[in-house]
Amino acid sequence: MPEQASPVVLRFEKVSLAFEDVRALDEVSLEIRRGETCILLGSAGSGKTVLLKTALGLLRPDRGRVEVFGQDITRMRESQLFDIRARIGILFQEGGLFDSLTIEENVAYPLVNQKLLRVPPEEVRKRVEQALEFVELEHTLEKYPSELSGGMRRRVGIARALVTDPPLLLYDSPTAGLDPITACTIITLIIKGRDVRRATTVMATHRYQDGTWLDEFRYNPKSGRLEPAGSDGQPGLSGTKFMVLRQGKLVFEGSRAELEACQDPYVAKFVKR
Ligand SMILES: Nc1ncnc2c1ncn2[C@@H]1O[C@H](COP(=O)(O)OP(=O)(O)OP(=O)(O)O)[C@@H](O)[C@H]1O
Ligand SMILES: [Mg+2]
């Protein structure tokens, strides 16, 4: 399998992180390779957000080691971390848009603030428009986040995550609190964002269905539609890996088939049968 040979994009080695008496991450070890899709499941408070923030270097582990793009970021200086973060797109759980900035300024933020990217000012507007077109919100440039619906804000967050064209995308509970139709739109955009650029994609969620869609569908740029993976004669872009966190511990890691066959009651409760 070619994916065996692809480089590791994100590696945790026995990573632990506690907040006073809460073990948010408890000796978590994992490896995500280039082109893979990883679905991170776990109930509320199991450590999904902490794991993603640790991958970004926003939180520092108490013990263990974190590698991103082959570089050890565990004790990396903030200035170097900026360069790593320039290659990661993130949709924060609460959206993370700046209320006092317009939609245009919000989406431009990573382009303007990450020196490594060196985007000329005349390029910025074009890239922002393209990213907003991608999520079908090009008409909202001048608006403020408070003028948009929750689902629209989430789409702006996706545009901001994609605007730098990053090789690694992290989505934190992207469908939480959305109605099923809007949730479907969001997942479609995540699949499209993954498949257009072949980006490694990690998504935290408590909705198993979100994960199965990422596993089952791929975006066909020719037709502009989602299609069942492998339907055009090509194998799916990459494997989808499922992981389950429980109280900071990684209690399951494997394929969808392995997840669906898992007898552990905590793991099984995420799977709709
Ligand atoms: N800044 C913090 N200070 C103190 N405790 C924290 C902090 N951030 C997270 N925690 C604790 O760490 C644990 C893991 O939190 P985390 O936010 O990662 O959960 P989660 O899996 O993302 O949950 P949810 O599904 O509700 O988003 C929780 O017990 C939480 O209360
Ligand atoms: Mg969370």
Side-chain angles (χ1 to χ4, degrees):
M1 291 289 282
E3 73 198 49
Q4 287 298 327
S6 54
V8 175
V9 171
L10 182 62
R11 173 181 283 129
F12 276 41
E13 278 172 28
K14 292 196 164 189
V15 171
S16 296
L17 198 166
F19 296 102
E20 297 183 3
D21 53 349
V22 177
R23 285 190 192 178
L25 295 179
D26 193 355
E27 303 220 325
V28 170
S29 295
L30 57 84
E31 258 183 22
I32 299 169
R33 289 177 182 273
R34 189 164 74 198
E36 269 184 336
T37 298
C38 174
I39 310 299
L40 190 60
L41 296 162
S43 51
S46 58
K48 303 181 295 297
T49 297
V50 170
L51 190 151
L52 295 179
K53 287 187 173 168
T54 306
L56 274 174
L58 293 173
L59 292 172
R60 305 270 184 171
D62 302 326
R63 283 195 308 282
R65 180 184 159 98
V66 180
E67 272 177 34
V68 187
F69 304 122
Q71 284 183 274
D72 183 352
I73 67 156
T74 322
R75 270 163 283 280
M76 197 178 255
R77 284 204 316 273
E78 198 62 22
S79 55
Q80 288 174 284
L81 272 170
F82 267 111
D83 297 347
I84 298 275
R85 287 188 202 128
R87 299 167 67 198
I88 306 176
I90 171 116
L91 175 70
F92 287 104
Q93 184 158 9
E94 310 301 341
L97 299 183
F98 302 108
D99 293 335
S100 59
L101 299 184
T102 64
I103 298 306
E104 179 181 359
E105 290 162 341
N106 264 288
V107 177
Y109 194 84
L111 292 175
V112 176
N113 286 281
Q114 281 160 356
K115 286 190 218 81
L116 188 76
L117 297 169
R118 291 201 191 86
V119 183
E122 62 277 13
E123 266 280 299
V124 170
R125 170 88 182 201
K126 207 173 86 200
R127 299 267 298 263
V128 169
E129 281 174 351
Q130 280 169 354
L132 282 168
E133 262 168 46
F134 187 86
V135 299
E136 296 178 15
L137 284 177
E138 59 275 19
H139 55 284
T140 64
L141 281 164
E142 317 299 331
K143 293 195 185 300
Y144 286 88
S146 60
E147 297 176 82
L148 303 187
S149 71
M152 288 161 98
R153 283 201 294 271
R154 217 64 72 85
R155 279 151 64 195
V156 173
I158 292 177
R160 189 175 62 178
L162 295 173
V163 75
T164 56
D165 221 349
L168 174 61
L169 286 159
L170 310 177
Y171 294 99
D172 195 355
S173 309
T175 63
L178 299 180
D179 65 83
I181 292 170
T182 311
C184 180
T185 307
I186 296 295
I187 293 297
T188 303
L189 289 171
I190 291 173
I191 294 172
K192 202 171 141 189
R194 174 191 68 184
D195 295 347
V196 167
R197 298 291 176 195
R198 307 200 159 214
T200 309
T201 300
V202 182
M203 178 175 73
T205 182
H206 17 89
R207 276 188 10 139
Y208 178 59
Q209 193 184 44
D210 292 352
T212 61
W213 283 345
L214 262 68
D215 181 41
E216 275 168 38
F217 293 100
R218 67 196 292 270
Y219 176 73
N220 182 337
K222 285 191 207 121
S223 67
R225 293 213 191 135
L226 292 193
E227 294 174 353
S231 60
D232 55 358
Q234 292 178 358
L237 260 189
S238 52
T240 305
K241 194 187 247 181
F242 289 80
M243 296 184 181
V244 181
L245 273 172
R246 179 185 195 179
Q247 292 179 348
K249 272 193 191 300
L250 201 60
V251 292
F252 173 88
E253 184 183 344
S255 67
R256 179 171 168 190
E258 286 164 340
L259 179 69
E260 291 181 359
C262 185
Q263 298 295 315
D264 178 275
Y266 176 84
V267 174
K269 85 175 178 187
F270 289 99
V271 181
K272 285 209 185 78
R273 293 178 202 277

